[in-house]
Amino acid sequence: MKHQDLKKEALELLKKMIETKSFSSEEEGTALLIESWFNDHEIPFKRDYNNIWATNKYFEKGKPTLLLNSHHDTVQPNKAYTKDPFKAIVEDGKLYGLGSNDAGGCLVSLIATFTHFYNQKDLKYNLVIVASAEEESSGPNGLNSMLDIIPHIDVAIVGEPTLMNLAVSEKGLVVFDAKVKGTPGHAAHPNDNNAIYNSIKVLKWFQDFKFDKSSEVLGDVKMTVTQIRAGVQHNAVPSEVELVIDVRVNDKYSNHEIVEILIEQSPCDEIIARGLRLNSSSISIEHELVQAGIAMGRTTYGSPTLSDQACLSCPSLKLGPGDSTRSHSADEFIYLEEIEEGIDIYINLLTSIF
């Protein structure tokens, strides 16, 4: 099938996806659209929950397997939208709509790429594509649930907006719930153990604390207090202040090590990690996928944002059309030419290693 035809069909699929609500765990409609693509192209597929997946026609045991993955769920639209987030609007070379940039453009480009290679014989790698659900919520029924179902994966391309540059590493994430305690009482009475005042020095500690090890690619671990809650009424001193801390982990620490450091050193009365599965990820700069991308003029960098790479244990490269700074923004958009370029680069990149 000609590249130009694939590009046109991919764009039409993206428009339909934008106009079909697909919040995390509610992706039934977009899953049906993706099924229709595979049916129209006579590609057998399977569906688990709202994850759609397929392998190339000449899949051979014994060959290494390359995963192509992106997601079709979206966040909720924010209140600053001036355009209808559920209407695919084309203006000045831009396609507007919720999920256009994150990550619909990536997904339809990868689907088009998989379709291009589906019928080809004697590929160096087997191909598996997973159009996954629940990425935005890190839910239990997303790509993480597919890893025991699909064939063993040796390397992956995860489609997220990177301006088609090569994100060769990605920070992990650990979220903590913490408490600062004090003595509850009536606001009219003396109290030198006010939990809210006690939290001032704790917040200052989180603001000033630096993890020792910095990464050449990912930089420092970034720790941010993102939520705070205390008190129920004006005349009552609360017994505790609740904090939420977001920690973006570089490749110099495991998530377990981050937990140990904060439990040992933070001045909180309690601090508990919500989970440890969202690890940092990377691929060697020497991997042939990366080297092929560099040869095509693409730059490498470390990504501060989280994706489904976090649930993969194999080497993985984050690469896709669109710009991460547009993700979750009002009036989200992707340039039409970015989708066309994305399909070309994906196909040329894989052709160079096949």
Side-chain angles (χ1 to χ4, degrees):
M1 190 174 185
K2 294 181 179 179
H3 288 198
Q4 205 58 38
D5 293 333
L6 276 173
K7 292 174 184 177
K8 290 179 181 177
E9 290 188 25
L11 180 57
E12 290 307 309
L13 174 59
L14 179 52
K15 289 177 179 178
K16 292 176 183 176
M17 289 174 60
I18 289 169
E19 296 187 349
T20 305
K21 290 184 181 181
S22 56
F23 306 136
S24 296
S25 304
E26 302 175 19
E27 310 96 344
E28 294 86 354
T30 47
L32 289 174
L33 292 173
I34 296 164
E35 288 184 358
S36 294
W37 172 287
F38 287 127
N39 283 327
D40 291 345
H41 291 87
E42 299 181 344
I43 297 175
F45 65 88
K46 293 182 180 178
R47 177 171 175 169
D48 289 88
Y49 299 102
N50 290 324
N51 303 287
I52 311 298
W53 67 280
T55 60
N56 62 302
K57 186 173 183 178
Y58 297 102
F59 189 100
E60 295 181 28
K61 289 185 177 180
K63 283 186 178 181
T65 298
L66 169 62
L67 169 67
L68 304 179
N69 164 251
S70 192
H71 63 94
H72 58 106
D73 63 315
T74 72
V75 296
Q76 298 273 347
N78 62 59
K79 294 181 179 180
Y81 266 83
T82 64
K83 301 179 185 294
D84 185 343
F86 304 109
K87 186 173 182 180
I89 300 170
V90 177
E91 290 180 359
D92 301 323
K94 302 174 183 178
L95 174 59
Y96 290 91
L98 182 66
S100 57
N101 182 78
D102 182 17
C106 301
L107 178 58
V108 300
S109 298
L110 283 172
I111 290 174
T113 301
F114 175 83
T115 302
H116 171 80
F117 287 106
Y118 172 74
N119 282 306
Q120 294 190 24
K121 296 181 179 180
D122 301 320
L123 299 177
K124 182 178 178 180
Y125 287 83
N126 294 317
L127 286 177
V128 176
I129 188 165
V130 179
S132 55
E134 298 190 10
E135 189 273 346
E136 296 291 3
S137 63
S138 299
N141 297 318
L143 179 62
N144 54 302
S145 71
M146 300 299 297
L147 299 179
D148 292 331
I149 296 173
I150 62 176
H152 172 78
I153 301 302
D154 296 284
V155 65
I157 295 176
V158 176
E160 290 284 340
T162 70
L163 293 171
M164 292 308 292
N165 288 313
L166 311 167
V168 295
S169 56
E170 174 186 275
K171 283 186 173 179
L173 171 65
V174 186
V175 178
F176 291 87
D177 293 295
K179 291 182 180 180
V180 181
K181 296 184 177 181
T183 302
H186 197 292
H189 297 153
N191 187 338
D192 59 3
N193 190 30
N194 185 315
I196 293 177
Y197 295 157
N198 293 346
S199 71
I200 295 173
K201 65 180 180 182
V202 175
L203 292 170
K204 182 64 174 173
W205 184 89
F206 280 112
Q207 182 180 26
D208 294 342
F209 184 84
K210 302 293 182 185
F211 291 87
D212 293 333
K213 293 183 282 188
S214 184
S215 166
E216 184 177 339
V217 179
L218 290 173
D220 296 335
V221 174
K222 187 175 188 301
M223 182 163 62
T224 309
V225 178
T226 56
Q227 292 177 264
I228 184 168
R229 183 172 63 185
V232 293
Q233 59 191 56
H234 75 90
N235 60 350
V237 176
S239 63
E240 61 186 26
V241 175
E242 297 176 351
L243 307 176
V244 176
I245 302 101
D246 178 295
V247 184
R248 303 289 167 152
V249 185
N250 66 21
D251 53 355
K252 297 297 183 180
Y253 294 91
S254 70
N255 288 355
H256 286 279
E257 288 175 315
I258 296 295
V259 172
E260 290 174 358
I261 289 169
L262 291 190
I263 288 176
E264 183 178 312
Q265 298 189 37
S266 78
C268 301
D269 294 295
E270 293 181 15
I271 186 164
I272 299 171
R274 292 183 181 178
L276 300 178
R277 67 181 180 85
L278 301 176
N279 295 288
S280 62
S281 54
S282 64
I283 187 170
S284 169
I285 200 79
E286 301 302 324
H287 194 284
E288 62 179 342
L289 263 179
V290 179
Q291 288 297 307
I294 293 172
M296 293 168 61
R298 316 317 296 179
T299 60
T300 62
Y301 73 102
S303 173
T305 57
L306 197 69
S307 74
D308 269 336
Q309 279 184 289
C311 65
L312 297 173
S313 58
C314 66
S316 56
L317 174 67
K318 185 157 68 177
L319 174 68
D323 188 338
S324 179
T325 61
R326 300 182 210 135
S327 299
H328 305 182
S329 64
D331 297 335
E332 179 183 348
F333 71 89
I334 189 168
Y335 287 99
L336 301 178
E337 63 182 18
E338 288 178 325
I339 298 171
E340 295 188 357
E341 179 193 47
I343 293 171
D344 284 336
I345 291 175
Y346 279 143
I347 289 176
N348 292 337
L349 179 69
L350 295 185
T351 297
S352 69
I353 68 167
F354 284 168

